PDB file of all heavy atoms in Angstrom:
ATOM      1  N   ASP A 589     -33.671   2.541 -13.090  1.00 69.00           N
ATOM      2  CA  ASP A 589     -33.245   2.019 -14.395  1.00 69.00           C
ATOM      3  C   ASP A 589     -32.819   0.621 -14.084  1.00 69.00           C
ATOM      4  O   ASP A 589     -31.687   0.362 -13.662  1.00 69.00           O
ATOM      5  CB  ASP A 589     -32.080   2.830 -14.886  1.00 69.00           C
ATOM      6  CG  ASP A 589     -31.584   2.399 -16.287  1.00 69.00           C
ATOM      7  OD1 ASP A 589     -32.138   1.470 -16.790  1.00 69.00           O
ATOM      8  OD2 ASP A 589     -30.545   3.001 -16.799  1.00 69.00           O
ATOM      9  N   ALA A 590     -33.666  -0.380 -14.390  1.00 73.00           N
ATOM     10  CA  ALA A 590     -33.311  -1.769 -14.078  1.00 73.00           C
ATOM     11  C   ALA A 590     -32.104  -2.287 -14.821  1.00 73.00           C
ATOM     12  O   ALA A 590     -31.180  -2.840 -14.086  1.00 73.00           O
ATOM     13  CB  ALA A 590     -34.519  -2.662 -14.427  1.00 73.00           C
ATOM     14  N   ALA A 591     -31.975  -2.037 -16.059  1.00 76.00           N
ATOM     15  CA  ALA A 591     -30.733  -2.608 -16.836  1.00 76.00           C
ATOM     16  C   ALA A 591     -29.570  -1.880 -16.308  1.00 76.00           C
ATOM     17  O   ALA A 591     -28.405  -2.464 -16.176  1.00 76.00           O
ATOM     18  CB  ALA A 591     -30.982  -2.271 -18.358  1.00 76.00           C
ATOM     19  N   GLY A 592     -29.665  -0.536 -16.117  1.00 74.00           N
ATOM     20  CA  GLY A 592     -28.446   0.231 -15.565  1.00 74.00           C
ATOM     21  C   GLY A 592     -28.102  -0.238 -14.272  1.00 74.00           C
ATOM     22  O   GLY A 592     -26.824  -0.288 -13.866  1.00 74.00           O
ATOM     23  N   LEU A 593     -29.036  -0.493 -13.450  1.00 73.00           N
ATOM     24  CA  LEU A 593     -28.688  -1.125 -12.038  1.00 73.00           C
ATOM     25  C   LEU A 593     -27.945  -2.482 -12.040  1.00 73.00           C
ATOM     26  O   LEU A 593     -26.920  -2.698 -11.384  1.00 73.00           O
ATOM     27  CB  LEU A 593     -29.995  -1.260 -11.147  1.00 73.00           C
ATOM     28  CG  LEU A 593     -29.705  -1.673  -9.764  1.00 73.00           C
ATOM     29  CD1 LEU A 593     -28.902  -0.737  -9.019  1.00 73.00           C
ATOM     30  CD2 LEU A 593     -31.085  -2.039  -9.043  1.00 73.00           C
ATOM     31  N   SER A 594     -28.349  -3.270 -13.048  1.00 78.00           N
ATOM     32  CA  SER A 594     -27.714  -4.504 -13.229  1.00 78.00           C
ATOM     33  C   SER A 594     -26.272  -4.357 -13.660  1.00 78.00           C
ATOM     34  O   SER A 594     -25.363  -5.023 -13.108  1.00 78.00           O
ATOM     35  CB  SER A 594     -28.515  -5.374 -14.227  1.00 78.00           C
ATOM     36  OG  SER A 594     -27.718  -6.584 -14.636  1.00 78.00           O
ATOM     37  N   VAL A 595     -26.013  -3.507 -14.567  1.00 79.00           N
ATOM     38  CA  VAL A 595     -24.722  -3.257 -15.074  1.00 79.00           C
ATOM     39  C   VAL A 595     -23.841  -2.697 -13.983  1.00 79.00           C
ATOM     40  O   VAL A 595     -22.660  -3.048 -13.724  1.00 79.00           O
ATOM     41  CB  VAL A 595     -24.709  -2.299 -16.296  1.00 79.00           C
ATOM     42  CG1 VAL A 595     -23.283  -1.847 -16.614  1.00 79.00           C
ATOM     43  CG2 VAL A 595     -25.358  -2.964 -17.440  1.00 79.00           C
ATOM     44  N   ALA A 596     -24.447  -1.726 -13.225  1.00 76.00           N
ATOM     45  CA  ALA A 596     -23.721  -1.025 -12.155  1.00 76.00           C
ATOM     46  C   ALA A 596     -23.417  -1.974 -11.022  1.00 76.00           C
ATOM     47  O   ALA A 596     -22.326  -1.857 -10.358  1.00 76.00           O
ATOM     48  CB  ALA A 596     -24.619   0.121 -11.672  1.00 76.00           C
ATOM     49  N   THR A 597     -24.285  -2.854 -10.686  1.00 81.00           N
ATOM     50  CA  THR A 597     -24.003  -3.860  -9.709  1.00 81.00           C
ATOM     51  C   THR A 597     -22.822  -4.763 -10.109  1.00 81.00           C
ATOM     52  O   THR A 597     -22.030  -5.120  -9.306  1.00 81.00           O
ATOM     53  CB  THR A 597     -25.231  -4.737  -9.480  1.00 81.00           C
ATOM     54  OG1 THR A 597     -26.299  -3.839  -8.999  1.00 81.00           O
ATOM     55  CG2 THR A 597     -25.121  -5.705  -8.305  1.00 81.00           C
ATOM     56  N   SER A 598     -22.864  -5.180 -11.432  1.00 85.00           N
ATOM     57  CA  SER A 598     -21.832  -6.051 -11.852  1.00 85.00           C
ATOM     58  C   SER A 598     -20.509  -5.288 -11.736  1.00 85.00           C
ATOM     59  O   SER A 598     -19.528  -6.018 -11.375  1.00 85.00           O
ATOM     60  CB  SER A 598     -22.182  -6.545 -13.365  1.00 85.00           C
ATOM     61  OG  SER A 598     -21.114  -7.185 -13.902  1.00 85.00           O
ATOM     62  N   LEU A 599     -20.467  -4.055 -12.232  1.00 85.00           N
ATOM     63  CA  LEU A 599     -19.321  -3.171 -12.220  1.00 85.00           C
ATOM     64  C   LEU A 599     -18.730  -3.003 -10.782  1.00 85.00           C
ATOM     65  O   LEU A 599     -17.566  -3.020 -10.505  1.00 85.00           O
ATOM     66  CB  LEU A 599     -19.401  -2.038 -13.014  1.00 85.00           C
ATOM     67  CG  LEU A 599     -19.692  -2.129 -14.472  1.00 85.00           C
ATOM     68  CD1 LEU A 599     -19.864  -0.593 -15.048  1.00 85.00           C
ATOM     69  CD2 LEU A 599     -18.226  -2.652 -15.101  1.00 85.00           C
ATOM     70  N   GLY A 600     -19.647  -2.711  -9.976  1.00 85.00           N
ATOM     71  CA  GLY A 600     -19.255  -2.636  -8.446  1.00 85.00           C
ATOM     72  C   GLY A 600     -18.641  -3.998  -7.841  1.00 85.00           C
ATOM     73  O   GLY A 600     -17.740  -3.815  -7.154  1.00 85.00           O
ATOM     74  N   ALA A 601     -19.281  -5.133  -8.244  1.00 86.00           N
ATOM     75  CA  ALA A 601     -18.564  -6.463  -7.787  1.00 86.00           C
ATOM     76  C   ALA A 601     -17.256  -6.498  -8.366  1.00 86.00           C
ATOM     77  O   ALA A 601     -16.301  -6.907  -7.612  1.00 86.00           O
ATOM     78  CB  ALA A 601     -19.512  -7.460  -8.135  1.00 86.00           C
ATOM     79  N   LYS A 602     -17.075  -6.290  -9.677  1.00 86.00           N
ATOM     80  CA  LYS A 602     -15.691  -6.386 -10.209  1.00 86.00           C
ATOM     81  C   LYS A 602     -14.660  -5.429  -9.627  1.00 86.00           C
ATOM     82  O   LYS A 602     -13.604  -5.683  -9.393  1.00 86.00           O
ATOM     83  CB  LYS A 602     -15.871  -6.166 -11.778  1.00 86.00           C
ATOM     84  CG  LYS A 602     -16.392  -7.252 -12.458  1.00 86.00           C
ATOM     85  CD  LYS A 602     -16.466  -7.103 -13.965  1.00 86.00           C
ATOM     86  CE  LYS A 602     -17.180  -8.191 -14.688  1.00 86.00           C
ATOM     87  NZ  LYS A 602     -17.296  -7.882 -16.137  1.00 86.00           N
ATOM     88  N   ALA A 603     -15.234  -4.227  -9.316  1.00 89.00           N
ATOM     89  CA  ALA A 603     -14.325  -3.185  -8.677  1.00 89.00           C
ATOM     90  C   ALA A 603     -13.824  -3.685  -7.192  1.00 89.00           C
ATOM     91  O   ALA A 603     -12.628  -3.530  -6.946  1.00 89.00           O
ATOM     92  CB  ALA A 603     -15.099  -1.862  -8.502  1.00 89.00           C
ATOM     93  N   ARG A 604     -14.832  -4.289  -6.577  1.00 89.00           N
ATOM     94  CA  ARG A 604     -14.344  -4.840  -5.220  1.00 89.00           C
ATOM     95  C   ARG A 604     -13.408  -6.003  -5.338  1.00 89.00           C
ATOM     96  O   ARG A 604     -12.391  -6.018  -4.539  1.00 89.00           O
ATOM     97  CB  ARG A 604     -15.718  -5.269  -4.415  1.00 89.00           C
ATOM     98  CG  ARG A 604     -16.556  -4.132  -3.959  1.00 89.00           C
ATOM     99  CD  ARG A 604     -17.538  -4.345  -2.858  1.00 89.00           C
ATOM    100  NE  ARG A 604     -17.890  -5.762  -2.912  1.00 89.00           N
ATOM    101  CZ  ARG A 604     -19.228  -6.141  -3.334  1.00 89.00           C
ATOM    102  NH1 ARG A 604     -19.962  -5.307  -3.751  1.00 89.00           N
ATOM    103  NH2 ARG A 604     -19.491  -7.394  -3.037  1.00 89.00           N
ATOM    104  N   VAL A 605     -13.587  -6.862  -6.288  1.00 87.00           N
ATOM    105  CA  VAL A 605     -12.504  -7.930  -6.560  1.00 87.00           C
ATOM    106  C   VAL A 605     -11.236  -7.432  -6.894  1.00 87.00           C
ATOM    107  O   VAL A 605     -10.217  -7.779  -6.293  1.00 87.00           O
ATOM    108  CB  VAL A 605     -13.089  -8.873  -7.641  1.00 87.00           C
ATOM    109  CG1 VAL A 605     -12.011  -9.762  -8.088  1.00 87.00           C
ATOM    110  CG2 VAL A 605     -14.374  -9.675  -7.181  1.00 87.00           C
ATOM    111  N   PHE A 606     -11.216  -6.350  -7.767  1.00 88.00           N
ATOM    112  CA  PHE A 606      -9.964  -5.850  -8.219  1.00 88.00           C
ATOM    113  C   PHE A 606      -9.273  -4.959  -7.052  1.00 88.00           C
ATOM    114  O   PHE A 606      -8.049  -4.993  -7.030  1.00 88.00           O
ATOM    115  CB  PHE A 606     -10.102  -5.008  -9.443  1.00 88.00           C
ATOM    116  CG  PHE A 606     -10.234  -5.869 -10.752  1.00 88.00           C
ATOM    117  CD1 PHE A 606     -11.409  -5.723 -11.486  1.00 88.00           C
ATOM    118  CD2 PHE A 606      -9.398  -7.021 -10.968  1.00 88.00           C
ATOM    119  CE1 PHE A 606     -11.583  -6.556 -12.590  1.00 88.00           C
ATOM    120  CE2 PHE A 606      -9.575  -7.750 -12.094  1.00 88.00           C
ATOM    121  CZ  PHE A 606     -10.697  -7.576 -12.824  1.00 88.00           C
ATOM    122  N   ASN A 607      -9.989  -4.348  -6.279  1.00 91.00           N
ATOM    123  CA  ASN A 607      -9.482  -3.673  -5.118  1.00 91.00           C
ATOM    124  C   ASN A 607      -8.816  -4.641  -4.133  1.00 91.00           C
ATOM    125  O   ASN A 607      -7.777  -4.427  -3.560  1.00 91.00           O
ATOM    126  CB  ASN A 607     -10.560  -2.932  -4.304  1.00 91.00           C
ATOM    127  CG  ASN A 607     -10.926  -1.641  -5.047  1.00 91.00           C
ATOM    128  OD1 ASN A 607     -10.162  -1.121  -5.812  1.00 91.00           O
ATOM    129  ND2 ASN A 607     -12.022  -1.118  -4.806  1.00 91.00           N
ATOM    130  N   GLN A 608      -9.496  -5.834  -3.974  1.00 91.00           N
ATOM    131  CA  GLN A 608      -8.930  -7.007  -3.113  1.00 91.00           C
ATOM    132  C   GLN A 608      -7.565  -7.479  -3.815  1.00 91.00           C
ATOM    133  O   GLN A 608      -6.561  -7.676  -3.139  1.00 91.00           O
ATOM    134  CB  GLN A 608      -9.773  -8.010  -2.889  1.00 91.00           C
ATOM    135  CG  GLN A 608      -9.151  -9.094  -1.987  1.00 91.00           C
ATOM    136  CD  GLN A 608      -8.857  -8.655  -0.707  1.00 91.00           C
ATOM    137  OE1 GLN A 608      -9.631  -8.043   0.025  1.00 91.00           O
ATOM    138  NE2 GLN A 608      -7.592  -8.969  -0.255  1.00 91.00           N
ATOM    139  N   GLY A 609      -7.536  -7.508  -5.113  1.00 90.00           N
ATOM    140  CA  GLY A 609      -6.440  -7.912  -5.833  1.00 90.00           C
ATOM    141  C   GLY A 609      -5.310  -6.978  -5.558  1.00 90.00           C
ATOM    142  O   GLY A 609      -4.137  -7.379  -5.478  1.00 90.00           O
ATOM    143  N   VAL A 610      -5.515  -5.701  -5.628  1.00 91.00           N
ATOM    144  CA  VAL A 610      -4.535  -4.744  -5.348  1.00 91.00           C
ATOM    145  C   VAL A 610      -3.944  -4.895  -4.010  1.00 91.00           C
ATOM    146  O   VAL A 610      -2.738  -4.875  -3.708  1.00 91.00           O
ATOM    147  CB  VAL A 610      -5.155  -3.250  -5.400  1.00 91.00           C
ATOM    148  CG1 VAL A 610      -4.067  -2.097  -4.987  1.00 91.00           C
ATOM    149  CG2 VAL A 610      -5.365  -2.906  -7.001  1.00 91.00           C
ATOM    150  N   ARG A 611      -4.752  -5.204  -2.925  1.00 93.00           N
ATOM    151  CA  ARG A 611      -4.303  -5.449  -1.612  1.00 93.00           C
ATOM    152  C   ARG A 611      -3.558  -6.714  -1.590  1.00 93.00           C
ATOM    153  O   ARG A 611      -2.505  -6.759  -0.905  1.00 93.00           O
ATOM    154  CB  ARG A 611      -5.443  -5.521  -0.585  1.00 93.00           C
ATOM    155  CG  ARG A 611      -6.152  -4.251  -0.248  1.00 93.00           C
ATOM    156  CD  ARG A 611      -7.128  -4.343   0.879  1.00 93.00           C
ATOM    157  NE  ARG A 611      -8.223  -5.157   0.562  1.00 93.00           N
ATOM    158  CZ  ARG A 611      -9.406  -4.807   0.063  1.00 93.00           C
ATOM    159  NH1 ARG A 611      -9.613  -3.586  -0.329  1.00 93.00           N
ATOM    160  NH2 ARG A 611     -10.409  -5.643  -0.145  1.00 93.00           N
ATOM    161  N   ASN A 612      -3.897  -7.659  -2.337  1.00 90.00           N
ATOM    162  CA  ASN A 612      -3.066  -8.925  -2.423  1.00 90.00           C
ATOM    163  C   ASN A 612      -1.763  -8.700  -3.102  1.00 90.00           C
ATOM    164  O   ASN A 612      -0.762  -9.225  -2.588  1.00 90.00           O
ATOM    165  CB  ASN A 612      -3.855  -9.957  -3.089  1.00 90.00           C
ATOM    166  CG  ASN A 612      -4.977 -10.477  -2.544  1.00 90.00           C
ATOM    167  OD1 ASN A 612      -5.284 -10.238  -1.384  1.00 90.00           O
ATOM    168  ND2 ASN A 612      -5.865 -11.285  -3.360  1.00 90.00           N
ATOM    169  N   ILE A 613      -1.565  -7.937  -4.097  1.00 91.00           N
ATOM    170  CA  ILE A 613      -0.413  -7.534  -4.608  1.00 91.00           C
ATOM    171  C   ILE A 613       0.557  -6.810  -3.796  1.00 91.00           C
ATOM    172  O   ILE A 613       1.766  -7.040  -3.673  1.00 91.00           O
ATOM    173  CB  ILE A 613      -0.719  -6.695  -6.013  1.00 91.00           C
ATOM    174  CG1 ILE A 613      -1.222  -7.611  -7.052  1.00 91.00           C
ATOM    175  CG2 ILE A 613       0.619  -6.162  -6.505  1.00 91.00           C
ATOM    176  CD1 ILE A 613      -1.852  -6.958  -8.318  1.00 91.00           C
ATOM    177  N   ASN A 614      -0.038  -5.859  -2.973  1.00 93.00           N
ATOM    178  CA  ASN A 614       0.723  -4.999  -1.970  1.00 93.00           C
ATOM    179  C   ASN A 614       1.294  -6.127  -0.971  1.00 93.00           C
ATOM    180  O   ASN A 614       2.496  -5.925  -0.481  1.00 93.00           O
ATOM    181  CB  ASN A 614      -0.052  -4.032  -1.343  1.00 93.00           C
ATOM    182  CG  ASN A 614      -0.243  -2.843  -2.332  1.00 93.00           C
ATOM    183  OD1 ASN A 614       0.468  -2.590  -3.161  1.00 93.00           O
ATOM    184  ND2 ASN A 614      -1.317  -2.143  -2.197  1.00 93.00           N
ATOM    185  N   ASP A 615       0.566  -7.168  -0.578  1.00 91.00           N
ATOM    186  CA  ASP A 615       1.188  -8.026   0.392  1.00 91.00           C
ATOM    187  C   ASP A 615       2.176  -8.854  -0.249  1.00 91.00           C
ATOM    188  O   ASP A 615       3.168  -9.179   0.405  1.00 91.00           O
ATOM    189  CB  ASP A 615      -0.156  -9.099   0.908  1.00 91.00           C
ATOM    190  CG  ASP A 615      -0.944  -8.482   1.803  1.00 91.00           C
ATOM    191  OD1 ASP A 615      -0.722  -7.428   2.356  1.00 91.00           O
ATOM    192  OD2 ASP A 615      -2.083  -9.019   2.148  1.00 91.00           O
ATOM    193  N   GLY A 616       1.991  -9.259  -1.424  1.00 88.00           N
ATOM    194  CA  GLY A 616       3.130  -9.971  -2.186  1.00 88.00           C
ATOM    195  C   GLY A 616       4.341  -9.148  -2.303  1.00 88.00           C
ATOM    196  O   GLY A 616       5.485  -9.672  -2.089  1.00 88.00           O
ATOM    197  N   ILE A 617       4.144  -7.896  -2.675  1.00 90.00           N
ATOM    198  CA  ILE A 617       5.382  -6.877  -2.654  1.00 90.00           C
ATOM    199  C   ILE A 617       6.026  -6.937  -1.303  1.00 90.00           C
ATOM    200  O   ILE A 617       7.235  -6.993  -1.322  1.00 90.00           O
ATOM    201  CB  ILE A 617       4.982  -5.538  -3.174  1.00 90.00           C
ATOM    202  CG1 ILE A 617       4.567  -5.591  -4.688  1.00 90.00           C
ATOM    203  CG2 ILE A 617       6.142  -4.536  -2.917  1.00 90.00           C
ATOM    204  CD1 ILE A 617       3.894  -4.288  -5.170  1.00 90.00           C
ATOM    205  N   SER A 618       5.248  -6.891  -0.175  1.00 92.00           N
ATOM    206  CA  SER A 618       5.884  -6.753   1.087  1.00 92.00           C
ATOM    207  C   SER A 618       6.673  -8.048   1.384  1.00 92.00           C
ATOM    208  O   SER A 618       7.740  -8.016   1.885  1.00 92.00           O
ATOM    209  CB  SER A 618       4.744  -6.614   2.161  1.00 92.00           C
ATOM    210  OG  SER A 618       4.138  -5.397   2.101  1.00 92.00           O
ATOM    211  N   ALA A 619       5.983  -9.223   0.985  1.00 89.00           N
ATOM    212  CA  ALA A 619       6.754 -10.497   1.284  1.00 89.00           C
ATOM    213  C   ALA A 619       8.040 -10.525   0.428  1.00 89.00           C
ATOM    214  O   ALA A 619       9.109 -11.027   1.027  1.00 89.00           O
ATOM    215  CB  ALA A 619       5.778 -11.677   0.951  1.00 89.00           C
ATOM    216  N   LEU A 620       8.011 -10.107  -0.795  1.00 88.00           N
ATOM    217  CA  LEU A 620       9.147 -10.072  -1.606  1.00 88.00           C
ATOM    218  C   LEU A 620      10.214  -9.171  -1.118  1.00 88.00           C
ATOM    219  O   LEU A 620      11.467  -9.307  -1.108  1.00 88.00           O
ATOM    220  CB  LEU A 620       8.851  -9.829  -3.093  1.00 88.00           C
ATOM    221  CG  LEU A 620       8.137 -10.924  -3.782  1.00 88.00           C
ATOM    222  CD1 LEU A 620       7.748 -10.485  -5.177  1.00 88.00           C
ATOM    223  CD2 LEU A 620       8.802 -12.214  -3.852  1.00 88.00           C
ATOM    224  N   ASN A 621       9.856  -8.001  -0.630  1.00 93.00           N
ATOM    225  CA  ASN A 621      10.729  -7.063   0.089  1.00 93.00           C
ATOM    226  C   ASN A 621      11.422  -7.649   1.195  1.00 93.00           C
ATOM    227  O   ASN A 621      12.579  -7.529   1.335  1.00 93.00           O
ATOM    228  CB  ASN A 621      10.026  -5.756   0.385  1.00 93.00           C
ATOM    229  CG  ASN A 621       9.741  -4.877  -0.731  1.00 93.00           C
ATOM    230  OD1 ASN A 621      10.377  -5.161  -1.795  1.00 93.00           O
ATOM    231  ND2 ASN A 621       8.815  -3.905  -0.657  1.00 93.00           N
ATOM    232  N   ILE A 622      10.649  -8.335   2.129  1.00 92.00           N
ATOM    233  CA  ILE A 622      11.346  -9.095   3.270  1.00 92.00           C
ATOM    234  C   ILE A 622      12.313 -10.097   2.750  1.00 92.00           C
ATOM    235  O   ILE A 622      13.424 -10.257   3.336  1.00 92.00           O
ATOM    236  CB  ILE A 622      10.237  -9.599   4.105  1.00 92.00           C
ATOM    237  CG1 ILE A 622       9.441  -8.500   4.842  1.00 92.00           C
ATOM    238  CG2 ILE A 622      10.770 -10.525   5.163  1.00 92.00           C
ATOM    239  CD1 ILE A 622       8.211  -8.996   5.623  1.00 92.00           C
ATOM    240  N   ALA A 623      11.922 -10.971   1.833  1.00 89.00           N
ATOM    241  CA  ALA A 623      12.818 -12.071   1.297  1.00 89.00           C
ATOM    242  C   ALA A 623      14.090 -11.422   0.697  1.00 89.00           C
ATOM    243  O   ALA A 623      15.279 -11.868   0.880  1.00 89.00           O
ATOM    244  CB  ALA A 623      12.137 -12.764   0.314  1.00 89.00           C
ATOM    245  N   ASP A 624      13.890 -10.223  -0.048  1.00 91.00           N
ATOM    246  CA  ASP A 624      15.093  -9.435  -0.700  1.00 91.00           C
ATOM    247  C   ASP A 624      16.016  -9.005   0.360  1.00 91.00           C
ATOM    248  O   ASP A 624      17.217  -9.230   0.283  1.00 91.00           O
ATOM    249  CB  ASP A 624      14.539  -8.484  -1.573  1.00 91.00           C
ATOM    250  CG  ASP A 624      15.695  -7.696  -2.235  1.00 91.00           C
ATOM    251  OD1 ASP A 624      16.541  -8.343  -2.900  1.00 91.00           O
ATOM    252  OD2 ASP A 624      15.698  -6.458  -2.119  1.00 91.00           O
ATOM    253  N   ALA A 625      15.613  -8.421   1.462  1.00 94.00           N
ATOM    254  CA  ALA A 625      16.414  -7.823   2.418  1.00 94.00           C
ATOM    255  C   ALA A 625      17.015  -8.981   3.183  1.00 94.00           C
ATOM    256  O   ALA A 625      18.413  -8.846   3.498  1.00 94.00           O
ATOM    257  CB  ALA A 625      15.562  -7.110   3.493  1.00 94.00           C
ATOM    258  N   SER A 626      16.398 -10.193   3.417  1.00 93.00           N
ATOM    259  CA  SER A 626      17.067 -11.219   4.110  1.00 93.00           C
ATOM    260  C   SER A 626      18.241 -11.883   3.264  1.00 93.00           C
ATOM    261  O   SER A 626      19.232 -12.274   3.621  1.00 93.00           O
ATOM    262  CB  SER A 626      16.114 -12.438   4.382  1.00 93.00           C
ATOM    263  OG  SER A 626      15.138 -11.844   5.341  1.00 93.00           O
ATOM    264  N   LEU A 627      17.747 -12.038   1.963  1.00 92.00           N
ATOM    265  CA  LEU A 627      18.921 -12.545   1.022  1.00 92.00           C
ATOM    266  C   LEU A 627      19.979 -11.587   0.852  1.00 92.00           C
ATOM    267  O   LEU A 627      21.274 -12.027   0.707  1.00 92.00           O
ATOM    268  CB  LEU A 627      18.238 -12.772  -0.394  1.00 92.00           C
ATOM    269  CG  LEU A 627      17.193 -13.990  -0.501  1.00 92.00           C
ATOM    270  CD1 LEU A 627      16.449 -13.899  -1.822  1.00 92.00           C
ATOM    271  CD2 LEU A 627      17.879 -15.286  -0.176  1.00 92.00           C
ATOM    272  N   GLU A 628      19.801 -10.415   1.039  1.00 96.00           N
ATOM    273  CA  GLU A 628      20.958  -9.444   0.905  1.00 96.00           C
ATOM    274  C   GLU A 628      21.830  -9.567   2.178  1.00 96.00           C
ATOM    275  O   GLU A 628      23.190  -9.560   2.168  1.00 96.00           O
ATOM    276  CB  GLU A 628      20.549  -8.029   0.926  1.00 96.00           C
ATOM    277  CG  GLU A 628      21.673  -6.972   0.792  1.00 96.00           C
ATOM    278  CD  GLU A 628      21.260  -5.402   0.615  1.00 96.00           C
ATOM    279  OE1 GLU A 628      19.919  -5.393   0.190  1.00 96.00           O
ATOM    280  OE2 GLU A 628      21.932  -4.669   0.764  1.00 96.00           O
ATOM    281  N   SER A 629      21.180  -9.820   3.282  1.00 96.00           N
ATOM    282  CA  SER A 629      21.947 -10.120   4.504  1.00 96.00           C
ATOM    283  C   SER A 629      22.830 -11.321   4.443  1.00 96.00           C
ATOM    284  O   SER A 629      23.909 -11.522   4.858  1.00 96.00           O
ATOM    285  CB  SER A 629      20.976 -10.158   5.779  1.00 96.00           C
ATOM    286  OG  SER A 629      20.412  -9.028   5.969  1.00 96.00           O
ATOM    287  N   LEU A 630      22.141 -12.373   3.835  1.00 95.00           N
ATOM    288  CA  LEU A 630      22.786 -13.726   3.756  1.00 95.00           C
ATOM    289  C   LEU A 630      24.033 -13.474   2.717  1.00 95.00           C
ATOM    290  O   LEU A 630      25.114 -14.067   2.974  1.00 95.00           O
ATOM    291  CB  LEU A 630      21.904 -14.756   3.195  1.00 95.00           C
ATOM    292  CG  LEU A 630      20.688 -15.178   4.091  1.00 95.00           C
ATOM    293  CD1 LEU A 630      19.850 -16.213   3.444  1.00 95.00           C
ATOM    294  CD2 LEU A 630      21.142 -15.608   5.415  1.00 95.00           C
ATOM    295  N   SER A 631      23.826 -12.720   1.684  1.00 96.00           N
ATOM    296  CA  SER A 631      24.927 -12.444   0.795  1.00 96.00           C
ATOM    297  C   SER A 631      26.060 -11.819   1.502  1.00 96.00           C
ATOM    298  O   SER A 631      27.289 -12.016   1.415  1.00 96.00           O
ATOM    299  CB  SER A 631      24.531 -11.589  -0.332  1.00 96.00           C
ATOM    300  OG  SER A 631      25.536 -11.345  -1.223  1.00 96.00           O
ATOM    301  N   ASN A 632      25.744 -10.857   2.426  1.00 97.00           N
ATOM    302  CA  ASN A 632      26.795 -10.125   3.170  1.00 97.00           C
ATOM    303  C   ASN A 632      27.527 -11.134   4.093  1.00 97.00           C
ATOM    304  O   ASN A 632      28.817 -10.936   4.272  1.00 97.00           O
ATOM    305  CB  ASN A 632      26.271  -8.923   3.949  1.00 97.00           C
ATOM    306  CG  ASN A 632      25.716  -7.778   2.972  1.00 97.00           C
ATOM    307  OD1 ASN A 632      26.259  -7.706   1.930  1.00 97.00           O
ATOM    308  ND2 ASN A 632      24.887  -7.133   3.530  1.00 97.00           N
ATOM    309  N   ILE A 633      26.807 -12.082   4.635  1.00 97.00           N
ATOM    310  CA  ILE A 633      27.328 -13.047   5.552  1.00 97.00           C
ATOM    311  C   ILE A 633      28.449 -13.920   4.842  1.00 97.00           C
ATOM    312  O   ILE A 633      29.451 -14.109   5.230  1.00 97.00           O
ATOM    313  CB  ILE A 633      26.397 -13.795   6.324  1.00 97.00           C
ATOM    314  CG1 ILE A 633      25.588 -13.004   7.401  1.00 97.00           C
ATOM    315  CG2 ILE A 633      26.910 -15.090   7.060  1.00 97.00           C
ATOM    316  CD1 ILE A 633      24.428 -13.543   7.980  1.00 97.00           C
ATOM    317  N   LEU A 634      27.970 -14.269   3.632  1.00 96.00           N
ATOM    318  CA  LEU A 634      28.786 -15.163   2.828  1.00 96.00           C
ATOM    319  C   LEU A 634      30.058 -14.406   2.420  1.00 96.00           C
ATOM    320  O   LEU A 634      31.144 -14.955   2.326  1.00 96.00           O
ATOM    321  CB  LEU A 634      28.048 -15.701   1.630  1.00 96.00           C
ATOM    322  CG  LEU A 634      26.936 -16.700   1.891  1.00 96.00           C
ATOM    323  CD1 LEU A 634      26.124 -17.036   0.686  1.00 96.00           C
ATOM    324  CD2 LEU A 634      27.516 -18.033   2.600  1.00 96.00           C
TER     325      LEU A 634
END
C-alpha cells in the first residue's frame, strides 16, 4: 500500500522524534532535581 506506507513512515519518524523528546524531558527533570537538592542544601547552610 504505497500511500499507507508513506503515512506510516511519516508517523514512524514523528514517533521517534517524540520519543527523543521524552528522553530530553527526563534529562531536564534530572538536571532540575539536582539543582533543587543543591539549592535546598544552600538554604540549610544559610
Side-chain angles (χ1 to χ4, degrees):
D589 181 4
L593 180 64
S594 173
V595 170
T597 302
S598 173
L599 289 174
K602 287 179 182 179
R604 289 198 332 256
V605 166
F606 288 125
N607 284 336
Q608 181 61 50
V610 167
R611 289 191 296 271
N612 290 350
I613 289 170
N614 287 333
D615 285 346
I617 289 170
S618 296
L620 290 174
N621 284 339
I622 290 170
D624 180 53
S626 296
L627 290 172
E628 185 176 341
S629 294
L630 295 177
S631 177
N632 290 338
I633 288 172
L634 292 174

